[in-house]
Amino acid sequence: MENRTIKWGILGAGWIASQFARDLAFAKDAEFAAVGSRSLEKAEEFAGKFGAKRAYGSYEELLNDAEIDIIYVATPHPSHRENVLQCLRAGKAVLCEKPFTVNAKEAEEVVQFARDKQIFLMEAMWTRFLPVIRKVREWIAVGRIGEVRLLKADFGFRTGINPEGRLFNPQLAGGALLDVGVYPLSFASMLFGANPKQVLTTAQLGETGVDEECSILLSYEAGQTAMLNAAIRLNSGSDAYIIGTEGSIRIPSFFNAKSATIIAADGTEETFNDDRTTLGYVYEAEAAGQYLREGKLESEVITLDETLQLMRTMDGIRQQWGLRYPFE
């Protein structure tokens, strides 16, 4: 596959699919070949809007398209296990939107299948591939803020309660943790590793039984700490602060970061800006395409083992709250 154009299929035609498709048009050596939806009308509308060559009124038809190299799974997360397994059974490489699955049991099944069949699989944690986050990791790696000791990261917004909607419905694995809490948790994992020594949490469970607000305190073997918050009924913002022994880094809206400022111990500041015109999904798409060209089966930026451990951590967090979804 060296130097060839990667042909993409998108499974699902909702909001996140449209975000990814909009950016895919800017990806190098990538082609939006086909979209699959449960509605042919919706698929055709999506294809016309974002330039896909073919539109299918079923997922099965998309999976049977012999030209497709990789499929972006953009369905709601309660469907991820089933949809990713469908793709893998059809021999298609997969980029699966976060959260990877609902729980660790589902994630383990999916990852094991991909590894047994030796098919590429990756969680679409797009934040990892943004230029700003790459710069932040570079600053940390060369010791610009000394030893990193503390992370403070929030991701919260306030929305109206809709008991039947995906954010509040337990049958749809609703709640803040899986929807937005996965972002600060993954960020902490990127900095300190995927295996915290201790996890302390608290949550506000709403009238439908899902977590509307949650706070998470992680501690690690080397003494680092991560203080994380997530909410769907509280506008806490989405900034991250990384604090080291010789300075700190401030990242406004870290999940889709367009800038980061490093503050040295003497107070001097340096800001890195990303003036991209795209949304930012283009970077994970290009990375996935390059992995395929190189014959890799997973990403070293977010490994499958890390994805599995993140799901186990989220299972443990929900267990502390006594939150189980009805279908579990």
Side-chain angles (χ1 to χ4, degrees):
M1 296 184 67
E2 187 177 356
N3 298 324
R4 58 164 285 194
T5 296
I6 300 298
K7 295 186 178 181
W8 284 83
I10 296 181
L11 193 151
W15 181 81
I16 192 64
S18 68
Q19 300 293 96
F20 185 84
R22 183 176 287 113
D23 261 22
L24 191 57
F26 298 94
K28 297 176 183 176
D29 301 317
E31 176 186 310
F32 183 16
V35 58
S37 173
R38 296 197 183 280
S39 160
L40 180 58
E41 181 182 4
K42 190 171 184 179
E44 288 176 339
E45 179 184 357
F46 192 94
K49 185 175 182 179
F50 297 107
K53 295 184 179 301
R54 296 177 293 282
Y56 297 116
S58 72
Y59 298 159
E60 291 75 19
E61 289 175 281
L62 175 66
L63 300 179
N64 289 330
D65 187 327
E67 290 191 9
I68 300 296
D69 296 311
I70 184 169
I71 292 178
Y72 172 61
V73 172
T75 52
H77 53 268
S79 300
H80 284 179
R81 171 195 167 274
E82 176 187 354
N83 294 154
V84 173
L85 285 174
Q86 286 177 302
C87 295
L88 295 173
R89 291 188 186 110
K92 304 298 187 185
V94 176
L95 176 65
C96 179
E97 187 50 51
K98 63 83 201 161
F100 190 68
T101 53
V102 168
N103 54 41
K105 181 180 178 182
E106 291 185 353
E108 288 162 359
E109 180 183 3
V110 170
V111 167
Q112 191 59 56
F113 190 91
R115 285 174 166 168
D116 288 345
K117 299 297 183 181
Q118 294 193 303
I119 302 172
F120 176 85
L121 175 63
M122 172 179 148
E123 179 183 4
M125 183 49 69
W126 66 303
T127 301
R128 295 282 179 98
F129 299 90
L130 297 174
V132 167
I133 302 306
R134 294 203 303 266
K135 174 58 71 172
V136 166
R137 297 184 76 170
E138 178 186 309
W139 282 341
I140 291 171
V142 298
R144 290 286 301 275
I145 61 169
E147 182 186 356
V148 177
R149 305 296 300 167
L150 176 65
L151 167 68
K152 296 189 287 186
D154 299 338
F155 195 161
F157 60 92
R158 181 171 175 82
T159 189
I161 296 175
N162 175 9
E164 301 304 315
R166 69 172 185 85
L167 290 176
F168 295 93
N169 190 340
Q171 292 284 0
L172 299 178
L177 178 66
L178 265 62
D179 188 64
V180 290
V182 64
Y183 278 106
L185 278 167
S186 183
F187 205 76
S189 178
M190 179 189 77
L191 290 178
F192 301 136
N195 292 281
K197 179 180 69 173
Q198 187 176 26
V199 180
L200 301 175
T201 77
T202 184
Q204 174 64 41
L205 303 185
E207 61 187 52
T208 64
V210 304
D211 56 304
E212 295 183 355
E213 304 164 22
C214 63
S215 296
I216 303 163
L217 181 66
L218 306 176
S219 59
Y220 298 82
E221 288 292 345
Q224 308 103 324
T225 302
M227 303 167 61
L228 317 173
N229 295 285
I232 54 176
R233 292 283 291 156
L234 188 67
N235 187 15
S236 62
S238 54
D239 297 345
Y241 300 86
I242 305 169
I243 302 169
T245 54
E246 303 296 332
S248 62
I249 299 171
R250 180 176 67 249
I251 314 170
S253 191
F254 76 92
F255 77 100
N256 65 350
K258 289 190 174 182
S259 72
T261 299
I262 185 168
I263 304 103
D266 63 3
T268 57
E269 298 186 1
E270 175 188 336
T271 298
F272 175 84
N273 290 303
D274 174 12
D275 297 322
R276 67 177 186 265
T277 55
T278 62
L279 296 170
Y281 298 91
V282 61
Y283 303 111
E284 68 174 358
E286 289 181 340
Q290 188 58 32
Y291 294 141
L292 290 186
R293 292 188 195 93
E294 294 172 358
K296 294 182 177 178
L297 298 180
E298 61 181 279
S299 167
E300 68 271 11
V301 176
I302 180 159
T303 67
L304 292 176
D305 283 340
E306 183 182 6
T307 289
L308 287 172
Q309 187 54 46
L310 282 166
M311 294 307 309
R312 294 181 187 119
T313 298
M314 288 196 288
D315 280 2
I317 289 169
R318 286 197 294 119
Q319 187 175 23
Q320 288 189 32
W321 305 336
L323 174 57
R324 285 179 60 88
Y325 299 116
F327 53 83
E328 290 186 292

